[in-house]
Amino acid sequence: MTPPGKSIELRIRRQRHRDAAAYWETFSIPWRAGLNIVSALMAVRDDPRNQNGHAVAPVAWEYNCMEEVCGACGMMINGRPRQACAALIDDLSQPIVLEPLAKFPVVRDLLVDRGAIFRGLKRVRAWIPIDGPFDTHLAGAPISPRDWETNYLFSRCMSCGCCMAACPQFSDGGDFIGPAPLAQGWLMNRHPTGRWSDRERLHGMMAEGGVSDCGNAQNCARVCPKQIPLTDAIAALGRQVTLRMLRDLLD
Ligand code: SF4
Ligand code: SF4
């Protein structure tokens, strides 16, 4: 724990834009009780001077809810993908090293483009089509409390990208969809109404870069701030995809 009167040292990997060279800059701010990384970055923003006292461009980063729900403030904190709002200064060893979330293109400094998650969600059609003048079959079918509990666990995904940053198979521009979109596709397949469109979802997941590209290293589940059992979903999806392939052969 950093005692009062002492300072906090932040070593930040900076980059002016996606193609610019990265560089490191260190900032020193006064310690205050209860500071998290977002409030420390706010202190830097209030007086953007590096450790040598030189005025520099304010550090860019993203945050919104401050309660680990929106997923916006994901970054590498001392080498681990985490939410900056939930990372308390007193729990971290110094200097605190902040880097942009791995695997995602840098927009500026600690701000990254997490578009790959949303493209992945589209690839697996992670939604349930219930609008429109068509028969939704089992709409409103009851869900058992046990299934509801599991579904709720997965519905807490905030698209923060921490699991993708930790996944050795996922890369910016690579084929692999990544754990978060796969788990959300699986969640939609579990819903009684979503089950009627699971064919399209499963086709998205069995295409190149789909579920079979997962190497089962389990890094994703270890870093998820919401403790979502991603590898359980991926394993279950593997079985669904195999079944779908067999059905496709018979159809
Ligand atoms: S288990 Fe699969 S999705 Fe999770 S980190 Fe490993 S390769 Fe990535
Ligand atoms: S599964 Fe967890 S780590 Fe991955 S995007 Fe969702 S909340 Fe973040």
Side-chain angles (χ1 to χ4, degrees):
M1 174 169 167
T2 314
K6 295 283 180 181
S7 57
I8 298 156
E9 203 169 294
L10 298 175
R11 191 167 141 71
I12 303 179
R13 189 174 192 266
R14 308 199 59 183
Q15 204 168 327
R16 289 190 205 288
H17 54 82
R18 182 179 176 145
D19 303 318
Y23 62 99
W24 290 91
E25 200 144 55
T26 303
F27 298 86
S28 192
I29 57 160
W31 179 88
R32 274 189 289 126
L35 274 188
N36 61 13
I37 292 292
V38 171
S39 16
L41 285 169
M42 285 173 172
V44 171
R45 182 185 60 190
D46 289 346
D47 184 18
R49 287 176 192 282
N50 65 19
Q51 206 177 30
N52 303 322
H54 297 143
V56 296
V59 178
W61 87 101
E62 192 178 19
Y63 75 97
N64 185 22
C65 73
M66 292 287 271
E67 51 186 2
E68 210 175 44
V69 172
C70 74
C73 65
M75 59 184 72
M76 308 300 288
I77 301 174
N78 285 352
R80 186 184 168 93
R82 297 187 60 177
Q83 298 298 284
C85 62
L88 296 175
I89 296 287
D90 289 345
D91 295 340
L92 297 165
S93 59
Q94 292 205 40
I96 298 168
V97 180
L98 303 181
E99 297 169 82
L101 199 58
K103 311 284 179 74
F104 294 97
V106 171
V107 175
R108 186 181 172 107
D109 297 332
L110 302 173
L111 181 64
V112 296
D113 174 0
R114 288 179 296 132
I117 304 176
F118 304 102
R119 287 192 292 278
L121 290 169
K122 282 186 195 162
R123 272 172 75 184
V124 303
R125 302 172 72 85
W127 61 83
I128 297 174
I130 53 168
D131 294 333
F134 51 83
D135 186 357
T136 51
H137 307 281
L138 289 180
I143 300 175
S144 75
R146 199 168 157 201
D147 281 349
W148 185 90
E149 212 174 302
T150 305
N151 293 353
Y152 178 68
L153 201 60
F154 282 86
S155 74
R156 297 184 313 153
C157 175
M158 51 187 173
S159 301
C160 66
C162 288
C163 57
M164 316 274 275
C167 173
Q169 303 297 114
F170 173 76
S171 63
D172 176 29
D175 276 334
F176 183 42
I177 296 171
L182 286 174
Q184 290 307 298
W186 180 75
L187 172 63
M188 298 303 135
N189 282 355
R190 285 176 59 81
H191 192 277
T193 308
R195 230 164 264 154
W196 285 92
S197 45
D198 68 354
R199 187 190 185 120
E200 290 81 10
R201 266 180 234 111
L202 290 171
H203 282 161
M205 294 173 198
M206 68 173 74
E208 205 172 332
V211 69
S212 62
D213 280 18
C214 165
N216 200 26
Q218 315 225 356
N219 294 8
C220 51
R222 276 188 215 112
V223 301
C224 173
K226 296 293 188 184
Q227 293 90 41
I228 297 175
L230 293 154
T231 43
D232 291 357
I234 292 171
L237 265 182
R239 293 190 289 275
Q240 284 185 5
V241 161
T242 308
L243 216 59
R244 183 70 256 163
M245 280 173 173
L246 291 173
R247 286 195 180 127
D248 284 351
L249 284 176
L250 297 174
D251 282 351

